[in-house]
Amino acid sequence: MSSPSSSARKRARSSNPPTPASEDPLSLSPRPREPSTGELQPMPTSPGTDMQSPAIQDTSLFSSPYHSSLLDMSSPLIYDTPSRGTPARQRPDLGSVRKAPQVDLNSEPVSGGSHFIKSSNCLQSKIFGLYAKRFLQRFIDPSSREDENACLDLNEPLYMQKLDEISVVGDPVLNVNCGHIQTFDADLYRQLICYPQEVIPTFDMAVNELFFDRYPDSVLEHQIQVRPYNALKTRNMRSLNPEDIDQLITISGMVIRTSQLIPEMQEAFFRCQVCAFSTRVEVDRGRIAEPAVCRNCNTTHSMALVHNRSVFSDKQMIKLQESPEDMPAGQTPHTTVVYAHNDLVDKVQPGDRVNITGIYRAAPMRVNPRQSQVKSVYKTHIDAIHFRKTDERRLHGLEEENEQKLFTEERVSMLKELAAKPDVYDRLSSALAPSIYEHEDIKKGILLQLFGGTRKDFSQTGRGNFRAEINILLCGDPGTSKSQLLQYVYNLVPRGQYTSGKGSSAVGLTAYVMKDPETRQLVLQTGALVLSDNGICCIDEFDKMSDSTRSVLHEVMEQQTLSIAKAGIICQLNARTSILAAANPVESQWNPKKTTIENIQLPHTLLSRFDLIFLMLDPQDEAYDRRLAHHLVSLYYQSEDQVEEEYLDMAVLKDYIAYARTYINPRLCEEASQALIEAYVDMRKIGSGRGMVSAYPRQLESLIRLAEAHAKVRFSDKVETIDVEEAKRLHREALKQSATDPRTGFVDISILTTGMSATARKRKEEVAQALKKLIQSKGKMPAMKYQQLFDDLRGQSEAAITKDMFDEALRALTDEDYLTVTGKTVRLL
Amino acid sequence: MPSVQDWINNPLGVVDGAFAQNNSGAEWEKKVVEYFKEKLKVNGAQSWVPSLNDVPLHYLKPNSLVKFRCMIQDMFDPEFFMGVYETVDSSTNSKVLRCGKYKDVTDCGQVDFNSRNAVTSERQTFYCVPIPGESQWVKEISFHQARVVPSTSYTPNRHKRSYEEDDEMDTQAQQENNCQWNDSHRNVESKRLETEAPSQNNSPSRCSSNLDLNFPLPGEQGPACLVKVYEGWDGFKLNDMLEVFGILSVDPALSLMADDKEASSLLDPTESMETVEEQRAHSPPASLVPRIHMLYAQPLKHNNPLLPSAVSEDKGACRFLSGVLSELTSVRSELLTYLTHIFLGDSLAAEYLILHLISSVYARRDVLPLGKFTLNVSGCPHSSPYTDQLYQIIQQLVPSSYQICMSLHNMNNQRMVPRKDYTANRLVSGTLQLASNTSLFLDETQLEQGQLDATGVRNITALGNLISWQKVDYDFNYHQMEFPCNINVLIVSEGRSLLPSDCQVHLRPALSPPNLEEYLKTVQLAQASSQLNKYRVYFTVARSLDYNISDQITKAVEEDFVEMRKDDPQSVSAEDLHRMLIVARLLSLSYGQTSLSRENWIKAKQMEMMRISRTQQQKCVNGNEP
């Protein structure tokens, strides 16, 4: 930490204990707090807070004789560092400006079997440094999955490679994962957590020693600082309690406010106004001991502070708020104050989700500086040591849930037990929205959507990402609890968005650029689709959406990205969202005589992007009615307890889905791929018999996704034939509902892919041919009356021919260059 | 009752006593809480405790036991405080252990911050406001019930008295401080009294002008309180109604801090981690926002003072309840006649209004709230005082209510959804932050044609969400947070309301009195206050009854449904069945019956039939579909 010269100076001075404070302010960077001052005389009381009268009390602080000797023994700063001239940099993040009050150290779990005995002295500190060194030199993490370790050799000591990196890059910061320390040396880890203020400097020492031994010639801006992160005590803000004071903690939350930069004085520069003798005084815990006497000319009260020669460090206040996921229902989020120092300043912006590792501090508040009464409340804050943005990695397209949701052992075994049950699929689907009656297949479809397929990356072959998300459209009569289903899903998934087609614009769905009124900076504000990346976007009243809004969805639903070119910002955002949409029929009631397209009037290009399209219709069947009535009535008299049980199910379901999404990545096995091929060929065959195509590659992709999702439901790493079977069944079921040609009763995929059934197209063809024949039979007439031709055709044909059909036939013949229509006459060419 | 006086007037003495007795374990903390709980359980003991709702703050003795009927408006961050600390007497150098629980500031003497005996504890602060929209009659009745109010020591010559009190405090402070400070202190104190005393006496609304007390509804009065909670704070939720028993703390030192803040923040930039706004919101002067250190809190199911707050706790309450139940039916018929008069002879609308007023969300199935019954009374005359008077009548019947005039101006300007203010770090309230079972009266007749701006659209959406899902999405700037609620929404409109509703009744007046206003007044005056009290009790009791459906009736209902669908599947949908079941439920409860009977099911069906035919007729009259 300190350069050799300064430490030498310190040692020289401290060998001469009773130096008056006025002459010899301790030039020590933030002094680590002693773990135990119990045997020794206690430290002078309550520094830091009574700013008003430093001069009176402070003399005692600095003139105490044991003080400096104690320093000499224990401070790792004096530890011999071979840093060869690289300046040390102060760590205001460790030595708080305020000394934290009482934490009863004896009660902490340090004792038994620990190699760190509490009364720290030189030897202990050295031993400790050795442990730290051993860790850094030897730690190997063969199973590393972190992205920043991507290009490192996993079989070599991890942190030595990182030092290597530092020597190349020149960024003197070493991030150390506390999880690594714990697996390597649990005692060391415990010490680190309990006494970060003492242990981190020893780590600093060890690292610098190692580094400058290996790379004696490298030049760094300052000495390397160790930044531990991921202290396993990661918790949410709510669980912080007084026991955590002065310990190393990691909490997650959202930044809501950042302050201006606060310059904090680290070293004050004084000059004597009589003889111009200058001296430096370091700030100790927020206070400067102003020299009362000039050492050179012995004039009293002649020293004046020179601001622009004093040394300042950066400091920033950050307000962190609990992330909404961590909150119990019905309560408001908590906030915590975090101080960032030096280069951590301005690392985070309001709105960022971060994991902060730091030391938790508490300081008493004084009611009035001139009063001895104290407000019996502490102010708490965290001195940040390390920031990690949690949403940053979303941009890299990595699975972020890896560390996000940790399950307890029992929970995992419970989930696995559940997964092993043969009827897990049915169980889960019936647990989904139990208040909505029946519609089993729809629920199954939504269940598969919640699990999603396996994400595949074909970017190397040029195809890009394959969509893994399953999109579902529900259409049907109003009042068939579509909205309720959507609401349920929205409440179930962690990253869900709910919008209504009526109220949302393209901008609200995608993203828009806004000028920040304060900074004049352009800011990208994300809309529902981007926000639900990796989640589900529920869109109600899909049919009410304007065309321009809908057009946005084309890209999202197949490429899973969102391109923006606005106000000079051109970018592509990830929007890997599943879409669950609900649409009402145009005529308010579903017309069974019409096709899906005709009923909901949505462009077929969009419809073909939905994997499953379900109709939610009123079945109008007595047995169904009876069951429905029973279901509803039971809803109205079940007691509170029974309702509670349902809630339990919802929690289990949530965890089950989260677990499967995180840990299960099924791949197709040989049999399954054969089955899929067969299924696809079968689907094509059905159609070809009647001269139409009934399946496209898109349907095959849907089948694969559904089969994968079903394998996930079973917690299986392999997609097997049963998965394919269920996928086939569900897909067929959905098709049967939505792609049945009302005229023929056959399933016809082209209704969805081209917007018109093959029979309809055939029919059109036939009418045109009949018309052509009719005209030919009339012989060589150059022109005919439109109305008369229409009447003739109607008279001739056995099927009813509407005017529309006639017009269409004429148009077809025009396209063939057979005739032209001008006004009310038809001319042959 | 000398003992009563003791634990009410000097509760801290009890606490300190218990602490001194056994300061070793955490035992004493439980003992203290138990002690006060026992004391309060004694018959009628609660009414001996002065209430902040009734008694102006400056009549109350500092550090005495008080109660406060309130709603949790905001929850602040937990704070760490010195649970046990050691003070050093500078003259003798002797150390004394002291207890810091239930106190805001430390006692005299230099505090030893490095003492090894000190214990840091945690407590939570809730910002509580009086129950929003509480009806005048609730306030009056609870005021008269309180047995402690006319206590002679407070009433005469109050100004002098309060000065004396302050003088006492001053002399205390004088002992430790120099004169110069004391002078400034006295200045501040007297200033505080000058500004506060008249405002508290005459127009309490004035005190909120200089400091925003953050009441959900505009024009609210009463004190807001910072309630310090020492245990089990996870059990409380935002918008819970509570009756808090605790120690009142109005230490002038607390207010002084706010004054001094600006000076000290200039001196030390690091000290100012709180902005001025935050200071103001989190540590307002104790004279305006007193602190209460909670000893015991009773969650309130209702705020009707005519009923015991905790149902079925003691025998008296049980007897009272059975008495009410026995005459429930007769009260109902009287009430029906009364409301029929109000609705100008329309008994069907009156029936539905009764059902609406006893409805309450009793459970939630995944996202679906069960038991809500939003009523839309259409056919109300446009721009006449009728709707206002209707609201006044409802106000007289329910314990808390609020009227929103849905005029364009109001919709575009009112802040309905609470919003988090990150600068002040508090939840800025909105009109939709209401306690359970508040009646929300939406007057759509005031709505005229015109442009809704962004706020207006947001407000309409919020109202729609409130009605359909019984939840309000509070705006936390970076995200929204959903808070479930239980609010009875009544919409009055000319035609069908633009907001969704569970049930729409078209008003069909049987008589048209020449002077509507006069008529309604005479109807109202005809009701004696004892009569009104009966109605008030009726609503609260009927709402809290349990309900079930026997298997036999379930069968019958199923049969009925199948039968109805057989004739014409279009006529009855699942939604209709939902509604019929709610109507049947509420109808049974309104007669005090806890299970569905055949007759009530048939009656519910008939009522629905009549209502629907009426709306359809209305459609025909208008000639176009809404």
Side-chain angles (χ1 to χ4, degrees):
Chain A
M1 291 240 18
S2 54
S3 61
S5 61
S6 78
S7 68
R9 190 166 50 115
K10 249 183 268 170
R11 218 175 304 169
R13 222 175 281 147
S14 52
S15 62
N16 181 16
T19 347
S22 51
E23 287 175 32
D24 184 21
L26 291 169
S27 59
L28 108 113
S29 62
R31 209 188 57 79
R33 211 168 55 78
E34 289 312 309
S36 165
T37 50
E39 287 82 341
L40 298 159
Q41 199 184 328
M43 299 285 292
T45 50
S46 72
T49 37
D50 46 350
M51 317 283 162
Q52 308 300 316
S53 56
I56 308 157
Q57 285 194 356
D58 280 1
T59 40
S60 67
L61 176 76
F62 291 102
S63 56
S64 61
Y66 67 89
H67 189 143
S68 40
S69 64
L70 181 135
L71 246 179
D72 203 3
M73 294 278 286
S74 64
S75 172
L77 306 172
I78 292 118
Y79 194 81
D80 187 30
T81 0
S83 42
R84 313 234 162 82
T86 310
R89 193 175 188 184
Q90 286 180 330
R91 298 203 62 168
D93 48 350
L94 295 182
S96 168
V97 282
R98 242 163 290 260
K99 183 178 167 291
Q102 80 261 321
V103 170
D104 194 356
L105 290 152
N106 293 331
S107 67
E108 266 155 10
V110 227
S111 39
S114 159
H115 49 241
F116 181 62
I117 303 159
K118 269 166 287 151
S119 66
S120 96
N121 55 39
C122 186
L123 183 69
Q124 287 298 337
S125 160
K126 249 185 186 156
I127 288 174
F128 214 37
L130 286 179
Y131 279 114
K133 228 185 235 181
R134 198 182 65 174
F135 164 73
L136 294 165
Q137 279 173 323
R138 302 211 190 136
F139 181 75
I140 299 170
D141 185 13
S143 59
S144 167
R145 290 186 68 189
E146 283 173 78
D147 39 335
E148 57 245 61
N149 300 346
C151 48
L152 298 179
D153 185 350
L154 292 180
N155 296 318
E156 291 288 310
L158 176 72
Y159 290 100
M160 297 315 279
Q161 295 183 63
K162 290 221 172 161
L163 285 185
D164 201 40
E165 216 174 77
I166 291 174
S167 78
V168 177
V169 180
D171 182 20
V173 170
L174 180 70
N175 294 328
V176 176
N177 189 337
C178 294
H180 293 164
I181 300 180
Q182 195 184 27
T183 48
F184 187 79
D185 184 344
D187 270 334
L188 183 63
Y189 170 75
R190 206 159 56 225
Q191 302 298 344
L192 175 67
I193 296 298
C194 296
Y195 309 109
Q197 216 162 308
E198 289 78 25
V199 177
I200 294 174
T202 38
F203 261 91
D204 279 352
M205 293 292 107
V207 167
N208 281 309
E209 213 171 296
L210 283 172
F211 183 78
F212 288 103
D213 272 349
R214 288 189 108 191
Y215 314 100
D217 302 326
S218 60
V219 180
L220 294 179
E221 195 191 333
H222 56 84
Q223 291 189 9
I224 298 173
Q225 299 192 340
V226 172
R227 302 221 166 117
Y229 68 94
N230 188 24
L232 277 193
K233 259 188 160 174
T234 305
R235 25 167 100 225
N236 75 46
M237 220 173 278
R238 207 158 277 267
S239 53
L240 286 177
N241 61 45
E243 266 120 65
D244 295 321
I245 291 175
D246 281 336
Q247 303 208 349
L248 191 71
I249 51 163
T250 300
I251 57 168
S252 60
M254 192 170 64
V255 177
I256 51 167
R257 222 155 62 84
T258 54
S259 75
Q260 299 277 320
L261 191 143
I262 306 165
E264 191 181 42
M265 193 177 278
Q266 290 296 324
E267 198 179 56
F269 186 90
F270 287 99
R271 189 193 286 144
C272 175
Q273 281 172 324
V274 177
C275 65
F277 175 79
S278 62
T279 183
R280 289 169 183 279
V281 181
E282 282 204 23
V283 174
D284 185 43
R285 285 168 253 156
R287 278 181 305 158
I288 308 159
E290 188 186 345
V293 183
C294 173
R295 265 194 297 169
N296 196 29
C297 61
N298 280 329
T299 325
T300 49
H301 302 296
S302 67
M303 305 297 277
L305 182 71
V306 183
H307 271 282
N308 47 11
R309 292 191 64 184
S310 301
V311 180
F312 292 89
S313 72
D314 294 345
K315 182 174 174 181
Q316 187 181 31
M317 193 264 284
I318 295 165
K319 273 262 167 89
L320 198 70
Q321 182 184 278
E322 234 175 327
S323 18
E325 299 90 66
D326 294 342
M327 291 207 21
Q331 303 206 345
T332 57
H334 289 175
T335 54
T336 322
V337 176
V338 176
Y339 282 117
H341 303 272
N342 290 332
D343 55 334
L344 289 180
V345 166
D346 270 344
K347 273 278 161 66
V348 291
Q349 303 287 317
D352 285 348
R353 303 247 178 144
V354 291
N355 278 333
I356 287 186
T357 306
I359 305 174
Y360 197 37
R361 307 282 191 188
M365 288 201 287
R366 198 150 278 240
V367 173
N368 187 307
R370 285 153 291 186
Q371 205 184 355
S372 65
Q373 262 190 329
V374 178
K375 200 172 170 202
S376 62
V377 176
Y378 295 108
K379 276 195 172 175
T380 54
H381 71 267
I382 297 170
D383 277 321
I385 292 178
H386 185 276
F387 283 124
R388 189 190 189 88
K389 288 190 195 176
T390 44
D391 45 1
E392 200 172 49
R393 279 174 295 160
R394 272 168 71 189
L395 295 174
H396 304 318
L398 273 160
E399 284 292 332
E400 70 178 299
E401 286 109 319
N402 284 346
E403 294 164 67
Q404 283 290 36
K405 186 122 190 169
L406 291 168
F407 298 98
T408 58
E409 293 282 320
E410 307 96 78
R411 195 67 167 177
V412 171
S413 62
M414 193 270 259
L415 293 178
K416 285 196 170 142
E417 203 175 292
L418 185 62
K421 291 199 171 123
D423 59 342
V424 59
Y425 181 52
D426 293 300
R427 268 169 191 259
L428 292 182
S429 72
S430 60
L432 197 74
S435 66
I436 296 158
Y437 188 62
E438 289 210 331
H439 297 299
E440 287 305 325
D441 281 329
I442 296 174
K443 283 189 186 174
K444 280 179 179 165
I446 290 175
L447 187 70
L448 294 187
Q449 179 184 39
L450 290 170
F451 284 89
T454 314
R455 197 162 286 157
K456 308 166 203 73
D457 191 2
F458 288 102
S459 49
Q460 280 171 347
T461 53
R463 167 83 208 257
N465 278 330
F466 250 64
R467 168 157 71 96
E469 281 73 19
I470 296 168
N471 298 323
I472 294 180
L473 175 68
L474 308 174
C475 27
D477 296 335
T480 41
S481 51
K482 293 190 296 294
S483 305
Q484 209 184 316
L485 206 54
L486 259 58
Q487 276 280 346
Y488 182 86
V489 170
Y490 159 67
N491 278 301
L492 186 71
V493 293
R495 194 172 282 136
Q497 290 292 324
Y498 185 95
T499 63
S500 168
K502 219 194 264 169
S504 51
S505 61
V507 161
L509 277 182
T510 57
Y512 61 103
V513 178
M514 210 181 69
K515 198 169 248 173
D516 191 305
E518 264 174 52
T519 57
R520 314 293 298 154
Q521 209 176 3
L522 287 175
V523 188
L524 200 63
Q525 296 275 341
T526 46
L529 285 172
V530 180
L531 285 176
S532 57
D533 186 27
N534 274 329
I536 292 187
C537 186
C538 302
I539 308 177
D540 207 351
E541 309 202 51
F542 196 62
D543 50 313
K544 307 265 187 327
M545 210 174 251
S546 72
D547 288 341
S548 61
T549 315
R550 245 184 252 139
S551 66
V552 172
L553 289 169
H554 281 113
E555 186 191 350
V556 173
M557 290 177 68
E558 204 55 58
Q559 275 73 41
Q560 304 277 289
T561 54
L562 204 84
S563 308
I564 294 168
K566 220 175 244 164
I569 293 183
I570 299 168
C571 63
Q572 205 171 39
L573 299 170
N574 274 325
R576 289 154 305 179
T577 161
S578 307
I579 287 176
L580 177 62
N584 287 323
V586 177
E587 302 166 15
S588 79
Q589 201 77 37
W590 190 268
N591 185 345
K593 297 198 178 60
K594 288 185 169 176
T595 61
T596 312
I597 298 269
E598 287 162 336
N599 261 315
I600 51 179
Q601 298 276 313
L602 283 173
H604 57 85
T605 44
L606 201 55
L607 278 190
S608 65
R609 283 173 163 83
F610 284 103
D611 296 272
L612 298 171
I613 298 174
F614 287 108
L615 298 189
M616 282 184 98
L617 296 181
D618 219 342
Q620 309 185 351
D621 147 33
E622 191 181 312
Y624 170 83
D625 290 348
R626 192 177 299 275
R627 289 198 305 272
L628 175 68
H630 184 79
H631 179 79
L632 288 182
V633 176
S634 68
L635 210 59
Y636 277 88
Y637 71 81
Q638 268 180 1
S639 64
E640 200 79 44
D641 305 338
Q642 282 160 301
V643 178
E644 284 296 309
E645 275 170 35
E646 304 282 356
Y647 262 109
L648 195 78
D649 269 358
M650 192 157 159
V652 173
L653 187 62
K654 259 187 190 167
D655 281 359
Y656 195 94
I657 292 168
Y659 186 85
R661 281 182 74 102
T662 315
Y663 297 105
I664 315 285
N665 289 303
R667 297 183 68 89
L668 288 176
C669 72
E670 192 53 41
E671 284 166 58
S673 28
Q674 277 305 322
L676 278 169
I677 293 169
E678 268 170 41
Y680 182 60
V681 170
D682 277 350
M683 279 161 72
R684 303 249 328 167
K685 250 192 223 151
I686 298 169
S688 65
R690 297 195 305 277
M692 50 196 183
V693 183
S694 58
Y696 293 90
R698 241 186 204 150
Q699 270 71 46
L700 178 59
E701 282 175 26
S702 292
L703 273 187
I704 296 172
R705 275 191 288 271
L706 289 171
E708 283 167 350
H710 189 260
K712 271 193 191 175
V713 173
R714 298 187 298 118
F715 277 12
S716 159
D717 277 331
K718 265 195 290 183
V719 180
E720 289 169 37
T721 337
I722 43 164
D723 303 318
V724 179
E725 286 304 317
E726 174 57 24
K728 245 166 74 181
R729 188 194 67 77
L730 207 59
H731 194 256
R732 204 174 46 230
E733 218 38 60
L735 275 185
K736 210 194 276 170
Q737 289 180 9
S738 60
T740 307
D741 187 343
R743 294 187 190 84
T744 59
F746 289 118
V747 171
D748 185 352
I749 192 70
S750 51
I751 291 177
L752 298 179
T753 50
T754 64
M756 188 187 268
S757 70
T759 16
R761 209 170 319 121
K762 212 161 156 190
R763 194 170 180 84
K764 198 169 96 181
E765 201 72 6
E766 279 167 10
V767 174
Q769 288 312 317
L771 183 62
K772 197 171 176 182
K773 238 182 240 159
L774 178 77
I775 295 169
Q776 275 165 351
S777 69
K778 294 207 170 177
K780 294 256 180 283
M781 281 172 74
M784 282 157 285
K785 283 258 161 25
Y786 173 91
Q787 194 57 44
Q788 193 194 349
L789 200 60
F790 181 42
D791 291 341
D792 286 351
L793 186 66
R794 283 176 77 167
Q796 191 190 32
S797 162
E798 61 267 36
I801 288 174
T802 62
K803 200 157 160 27
D804 285 339
M805 286 163 84
F806 178 68
D807 283 342
E808 245 171 53
L810 279 179
R811 225 173 294 133
L813 292 178
T814 319
D815 289 345
E816 282 177 29
D817 284 340
Y818 184 71
L819 48 77
T820 58
V821 183
T822 45
K824 286 279 169 214
T825 45
V826 179
R827 278 173 216 285
L828 288 185
L829 291 173
Chain B
M1 275 207 216
S3 67
V4 169
Q5 293 305 317
D6 217 33
W7 61 268
I8 289 181
N9 284 337
N10 188 15
L12 278 177
V14 178
V15 175
D16 284 336
F19 175 70
Q21 263 178 24
N22 50 343
N23 48 14
S24 50
E27 282 286 282
W28 69 274
E29 304 186 338
K30 267 191 206 132
K31 266 190 191 160
V32 169
V33 175
E34 278 307 311
Y35 173 83
F36 282 103
K37 262 189 199 163
E38 279 308 312
K39 285 282 179 199
L40 288 169
K41 238 181 226 163
V42 177
N43 202 16
Q46 296 193 355
S47 57
W48 287 99
V49 182
S51 165
L52 262 179
N53 298 83
D54 309 327
V55 187
L57 180 61
H58 54 285
Y59 294 165
L60 292 169
K61 196 166 166 262
N63 295 331
S64 66
L65 190 71
V66 292
K67 66 179 175 185
F68 185 39
R69 190 175 64 244
C70 58
M71 182 188 89
I72 302 174
Q73 192 270 326
D74 195 2
M75 293 163 150
F76 292 158
D77 295 333
E79 55 189 24
F80 293 173
F81 69 100
M82 292 175 238
V84 178
Y85 60 94
E86 210 164 18
T87 52
V88 190
D89 195 322
S90 46
S91 54
T92 59
N93 227 3
S94 62
K95 292 184 173 183
V96 189
L97 267 190
R98 285 171 194 277
C99 149
K101 217 178 168 187
Y102 307 117
K103 284 171 205 162
D104 277 314
V105 288
T106 56
D107 292 330
C108 50
Q110 182 77 45
V111 177
D112 178 9
F113 287 107
N114 295 327
S115 162
R116 311 174 87 243
N117 295 320
V119 178
T120 309
S121 318
E122 191 180 6
R123 69 184 176 208
Q124 170 76 275
T125 308
F126 293 153
Y127 187 83
C128 295
V129 294
I131 294 165
E134 198 170 57
S135 305
Q136 198 53 41
W137 64 266
V138 175
K139 289 181 180 146
E140 276 163 20
I141 291 173
S142 59
F143 180 80
H144 290 301
Q145 276 177 351
R147 268 182 269 173
V148 77
V149 183
S151 155
T152 45
S153 63
Y154 293 125
T155 24
N157 204 355
R158 35 183 98 128
H159 261 270
K160 201 174 158 212
R161 174 71 200 165
S162 49
Y163 270 118
E164 269 167 28
E165 262 174 35
D166 280 315
D167 279 343
E168 270 169 37
M169 269 181 250
D170 277 2
T171 44
Q172 263 181 7
Q174 222 160 5
Q175 289 166 350
E176 309 145 19
N177 295 291
N178 55 35
C179 313
Q180 186 206 349
W181 175 76
N182 205 19
D183 275 350
S184 70
H185 180 152
R186 195 190 296 269
N187 277 340
V188 172
E189 277 302 296
S190 50
K191 236 184 261 167
R192 178 174 73 90
L193 276 166
E194 273 164 28
T195 50
E196 184 208 334
S199 65
Q200 283 281 0
N201 284 340
N202 311 330
S203 57
S205 58
R206 252 183 62 191
C207 68
S208 57
S209 59
N210 42 4
L211 186 89
D212 181 14
L213 288 181
N214 209 4
F215 291 133
L217 305 178
E220 285 272 293
Q221 304 176 350
C225 247
L226 281 169
V227 176
K228 309 272 180 185
V229 188
Y230 287 85
E231 50 194 12
W233 53 78
D234 290 337
F236 297 104
K237 289 193 168 140
L238 204 69
N239 304 342
D240 272 359
M241 280 192 288
L242 297 178
E243 178 132 58
V244 177
F245 292 89
I247 300 168
L248 180 74
S249 164
V250 282
D251 202 312
L254 288 170
S255 356
L256 234 152
M257 205 179 66
D259 293 337
D260 246 37
K261 202 68 214 172
E262 271 149 67
S264 71
S265 68
L266 279 175
L267 286 172
D268 182 11
T270 58
E271 192 78 341
S272 62
M273 52 179 152
E274 289 180 342
T275 55
V276 184
E277 290 92 349
E278 200 171 340
Q279 272 296 328
R280 208 172 286 159
H282 285 252
S283 26
S287 51
L288 287 179
V289 182
R291 314 321 193 235
I292 295 183
H293 295 269
M294 184 198 280
L295 284 164
Y296 169 64
Q298 203 169 40
L300 294 179
K301 280 220 165 99
H302 60 83
N303 56 333
N304 191 340
L306 297 166
L307 262 88
S309 51
V311 184
S312 75
E313 190 137 286
D314 53 337
K315 278 175 197 151
C318 273
R319 218 176 305 125
F320 175 78
L321 211 64
S322 59
V324 171
L325 280 176
S326 64
E327 58 176 11
L328 213 57
T329 326
S330 64
V331 175
R332 186 188 193 279
S333 61
E334 285 167 38
L335 181 61
L336 186 66
T337 335
Y338 175 48
L339 290 180
T340 308
H341 281 299
I342 301 291
F343 277 130
L344 308 172
D346 186 345
S347 63
L348 187 70
E351 283 272 7
Y352 272 100
L353 186 62
I354 293 179
L355 300 191
H356 165 75
L357 288 176
I358 61 169
S359 71
S360 170
V361 177
Y362 65 97
R364 280 170 198 271
R365 271 311 181 83
D366 30 85
V367 290
L368 190 74
L370 295 176
K372 68 174 178 103
F373 192 66
T374 305
L375 187 65
N376 172 207
V377 178
S378 60
C380 292
H382 174 68
S383 63
S384 82
Y386 181 69
T387 50
D388 284 336
Q389 269 173 323
L390 189 60
Y391 172 64
Q392 279 163 19
I393 288 156
I394 290 174
Q395 213 176 7
Q396 283 197 329
L397 296 175
V398 296
S400 44
S401 60
Y402 184 60
Q403 178 184 25
I404 296 180
C405 287
M406 290 178 65
S407 66
L408 267 185
H409 177 81
N410 259 350
M411 293 315 286
N412 282 338
N413 291 296
Q414 212 170 45
R415 191 179 58 230
M416 293 196 177
V417 177
R419 169 180 64 83
K420 179 86 176 185
D421 176 357
Y422 284 115
T423 2
N425 196 15
R426 68 169 179 181
L427 190 67
V428 179
S429 194
T431 44
L432 292 187
Q433 188 175 16
L434 298 172
S436 267
N437 288 326
T438 305
S439 282
L440 185 64
F441 188 88
L442 298 179
D443 189 351
E444 209 185 276
T445 59
Q446 310 274 338
L447 192 60
E448 61 271 27
Q449 286 185 2
Q451 175 93 41
L452 278 179
D453 62 16
T455 327
V457 173
R458 224 171 299 136
N459 282 340
I460 295 272
T461 322
L463 285 175
N465 273 340
L466 170 70
I467 293 167
S468 325
W469 309 110
Q470 287 288 333
K471 62 164 191 182
V472 180
D473 287 322
Y474 289 14
D475 181 7
F476 279 80
N477 196 357
Y478 303 100
H479 58 94
Q480 297 198 325
M481 212 177 291
E482 187 181 302
F483 284 88
C485 55
N486 183 3
I487 297 171
N488 294 5
V489 187
L490 176 66
I491 312 166
V492 291
S493 57
E494 272 181 284
R496 209 177 90 122
S497 167
L498 65 91
L499 293 166
S501 62
D502 292 319
C503 163
Q504 180 208 354
V505 184
H506 195 86
L507 204 59
R508 192 176 292 167
L511 42 126
S512 52
N515 191 342
L516 193 66
E517 238 169 294
E518 205 64 26
Y519 167 78
L520 284 176
K521 270 206 187 107
T522 45
V523 172
Q524 258 174 286
L525 285 176
Q527 301 293 323
S529 71
S530 64
Q531 199 66 20
L532 280 177
N533 279 353
K534 266 192 202 163
Y535 298 157
R536 290 162 184 166
V537 172
Y538 169 81
F539 283 126
T540 315
V541 169
R543 172 180 287 156
S544 59
L545 291 176
D546 283 331
Y547 175 74
N548 62 56
I549 304 175
S550 67
D551 287 346
Q552 206 184 347
I553 296 292
T554 310
K555 269 265 145 52
V557 170
E558 282 167 38
E559 290 295 333
D560 244 14
F561 182 64
V562 174
E563 202 58 36
M564 282 187 279
R565 299 258 304 176
K566 219 183 240 165
D567 306 336
D568 180 8
Q570 295 299 327
S571 66
V572 186
S573 67
E575 224 169 305
D576 292 324
L577 182 61
H578 257 290
R579 193 184 307 117
M580 269 189 255
L581 285 165
I582 301 176
V583 171
R585 174 195 158 87
L586 295 173
L587 198 65
S588 310
L589 292 182
S590 75
Y591 285 108
Q593 294 166 3
T594 53
S595 73
L596 181 61
S597 67
R598 240 205 128 73
E599 298 77 61
N600 277 339
W601 170 246
I602 290 166
K603 188 162 182 225
K605 253 177 29 180
Q606 281 168 347
M607 271 171 67
E608 275 295 283
M609 229 70 112
M610 265 162 74
R611 186 184 65 82
I612 290 167
S613 72
R614 214 186 251 196
T615 10
Q616 269 160 1
Q617 275 171 27
Q618 195 56 36
K619 269 183 208 165
C620 295
V621 170
N622 289 342
N624 54 348
E625 295 219 2

